[in-house]
Every structure is written in C-alpha cells, then in structure tokens.
Amino acid sequence: MVERIPQVKQECCQECGNCEAVCPEVFHLNEATGKSEVINPRGAPEERIQDAMDQCPAQCLEWVEES
Ligand code: SF4
C-alpha cells in the first residue's frame, strides 16, 4: 500500500512558524536555515497535519507518496 507523508517545499517557506504552532510533533523550524522541516512524518493524525498544511500562508506543505 502506498502511504503519504508531509513534505515542506523549502524554497517557498516564509519562516512564519504556523505549521510548527499547529503541529509541533511533525514540523519544526530549523534553527540554522529558519525554514520548516519535517521531523516526524507520522507524528500526528493526518487531520492535524492537514490543518497545518491548510494554514500555511504560502502553501508550502504538500503530501508526497512514500513507496
Ligand atoms: S506554515 Fe508554511 S511558510 Fe510558515 S513556516 Fe510552515 S512551511 Fe513555512
């Protein structure tokens, strides 16, 4: 079965921190780059990951298939 995991499009992240605020188990702002990164792709229910995605002002968060 193909599962999906969240991914951050690094080039468009505006470093606002919304995703980490909504879902800190999955998203974290990298101290060095300031950009968001996925620290645990299955760290929260999909619904809350989706909430974080929906609240990204630059729409930088997306689902990708994991093979
Ligand atoms: S919500 Fe979007 S723009 Fe803001 S830190 Fe997360 S990925 Fe970056």
Side-chain angles (χ1 to χ4, degrees), residues 7-63:
Q7 176 175 281
V8 180
K9 289 185 271 184
Q10 293 288 308
E11 67 281 3
C12 81
C13 176
Q14 297 177 351
E15 308 172 23
C16 73
N18 277 4
C19 53
E20 184 174 350
V22 174
C23 196
E25 301 91 341
V26 174
F27 301 105
H28 177 71
L29 291 192
N30 183 292
E31 284 85 3
T33 67
K35 307 283 187 183
S36 177
E37 61 187 11
V38 174
I39 53 171
N40 182 0
R42 295 186 184 81
E46 279 202 6
E47 295 75 26
R48 197 145 53 76
I49 297 174
Q50 186 64 55
D51 279 348
M53 289 180 168
D54 293 343
Q55 293 185 43
C56 175
Q59 299 177 327
C60 295
L61 304 174
E62 60 186 358
W63 292 107

